Amino acid sequence: MHTGRTYFIAGHARLPQGMAARSISDTLTITVEADVKYHVIIEASCTLATEHGRDFIGQLLRGCSLQDGVEELCSRITDYYQGKAQNALIAAVRDLHMQFLSQK
């Protein structure tokens, strides 16, 4: 049961050619659940093809506040995700943050 203390938001970006996830969809989606008071990411997921990749991105984004801007999120991806979808992940995070700002 949803308590009303969190919200769900998503960001999207196009995947590069040659990615396994592209056989499923041309776009990559990042979703987060954040608390309504401080906008801290409680849970995050994405549509990478492997469970390990999805879990890793969730761990990278968890604990960041959307209120603090998008650069910390992008830095974490740049510093720790060295896969082919790095640019798509950053674009999806930027789109997600734009959605966040438009909902404030």
Side-chain angles (χ1 to χ4, degrees):
M1 184 168 109
H2 187 257
T3 62
R5 295 182 187 154
T6 62
Y7 60 91
F8 182 89
I9 193 165
H12 310 276
R14 292 189 64 78
L15 282 168
Q17 295 285 342
M19 293 235 16
R22 192 145 181 187
S23 64
I24 301 166
S25 173
D26 287 343
T27 60
L28 178 131
T29 300
I30 292 180
T31 59
V32 303
E33 180 180 0
D35 78 273
V36 296
K37 189 170 184 179
Y38 299 108
H39 308 285
V40 173
I41 297 171
I42 296 167
E43 195 70 46
S45 187
C46 66
T47 56
L48 287 174
T50 65
E51 183 178 341
H52 189 197
R54 293 187 298 270
D55 289 346
F56 187 78
I57 294 303
Q59 291 174 35
L60 278 181
L61 302 181
R62 196 172 305 129
C64 290
S65 173
L66 294 171
Q67 198 167 256
D68 294 339
V70 71
E71 294 312 315
E72 172 66 23
L73 300 169
C74 293
S75 290
R76 286 183 178 204
I77 293 169
T78 301
D79 292 346
Y80 300 110
Y81 180 87
Q82 303 301 314
K84 199 170 186 177
Q86 186 183 74
N87 289 338
L89 287 164
I90 290 170
V93 163
R94 289 189 184 283
D95 183 57
L96 182 145
H97 194 259
M98 285 180 49
Q99 295 297 319
F100 165 72
L101 293 174
S102 71
Q103 300 297 319
K104 281 182 77 178

